[in-house]
Amino acid sequence: MRIILLGAPGAGKGTIAKMLVEKYGIVQISTGDILRQAVKEGTETGKKASEYMNAGKLVPDEIIMGIIEERIEKPDCAKGFIFDGFPRTIPQAEALEKLLAAKDMTIDAIVNLEVPEDVVLKRLTSRRTCSNPDCQAIYNIYTMPPEKEGICDKCGSKLVQRDDETEEAIKVRLATYYEKTQPLIDYYKSNKTYFAVSSLIAQETFDEIVKRLGK
Ligand code: AP5
């Protein structure tokens, strides 16, 4: 099973991807998580990406395509994967098509998570993420709080706010989404695997996607 999750920053891509991973036993490929890890490790990619990310801008397409090409080659992708936060521009979508065709791979579903902008803004300022790179569980101080404040229920690590969660960076991320990523909806609309779901209550969103996938 191979899935693309589309949606604005804070639409719930990471949250829903983690639920689908458990259900289908496939892997989540979050370009955001991969980049944040590269920044933390101080790799060449991380050094190039951090300035863009902290400002809320998109990392150049060539860097992203290099990451994707390398990632889908890994053995854990054999059963399938979920792209969370990729593709994010029309050139990335075009490059992905070529890459998949060369590997004889197809996408089973392209899912757009729909959320009103005011909800997204509130979610981004109230999200907390597990600081453990192997866990990265996502919480929300209002809608999905951890049992113990500031501590991850799953692994006991500290919960943190991301570096791009400043009000200024959030504004730029949303503007970048409308300019560069939202046009992907029109790009994919005619694809027979495309569908949109409301992403207001995580369990309902997940149930709807599973129903639509029919598997
Ligand atoms: P990335 O990490 O992909 O960030 P994003 O797209 O801005 O998405 P988020 O992770 O902020 O939100 P999400 O939709 O996953 O929501 P979540 O589930 O956490 O990218 C970061 C940066 O990396 C980019 O700005 C760019 O610089 C770079 N980058 C990454 N990919 C790139 C690419 N392909 N090309 C170029 N650059 C790239 O949920 C948010 C909050 O809401 C949480 O608190 C959660 O608990 C809550 N929540 C979620 N769903 C629900 C629900 N249904 N009900 C109630 N609360 C909910």
Side-chain angles (χ1 to χ4, degrees), residues 56-68:
K57 294 183 180 158
L58 291 183
V59 172
D61 292 338
E62 316 81 75
I63 297 182
I64 300 295
M65 289 318 299
I67 289 175
I68 291 293

Side-chain angles (χ1 to χ4, degrees), residues 64-100:
I64 300 295
M65 289 318 299
I67 289 175
I68 291 293
E69 201 163 348
E70 196 182 311
R71 185 64 188 88
I72 64 173
E73 287 293 332
K74 298 211 167 138
D76 63 350
C77 288
K79 258 186 96 179
F81 46 78
I82 302 171
F83 285 134
D84 154 12
F86 170 84
R88 241 177 165 100
T89 62
I90 304 261
Q92 286 182 20
E94 289 169 345
L96 175 65
E97 253 164 54
K98 282 191 195 136
L99 183 64
L100 293 177

Side-chain angles (χ1 to χ4, degrees), residues 7-16 30-33 35-36 49 52-54 56-61 64 84-89 92 113 123-124 126-128 138-141 143-144 162 164-165 173 199-203 205:
K13 300 181 295 294
T15 302
I16 297 297
S30 158
T31 37
D33 286 350
L35 290 166
R36 277 185 288 279
Y52 296 98
M53 294 175 76
N54 292 344
K57 294 183 180 158
L58 291 183
V59 172
D61 292 338
I64 300 295
D84 154 12
F86 170 84
R88 241 177 165 100
T89 62
Q92 286 182 20
L113 301 180
R123 279 184 188 175
L124 288 174
S126 51
R127 172 172 53 195
R128 298 293 181 271
I138 300 165
Y139 298 87
N140 190 285
I141 53 174
T143 58
M144 298 179 199
R162 285 177 12 190
D164 63 355
E165 272 166 344
R173 280 164 64 201
S199 185
L200 287 176
I201 300 167
Q203 189 62 46
T205 307

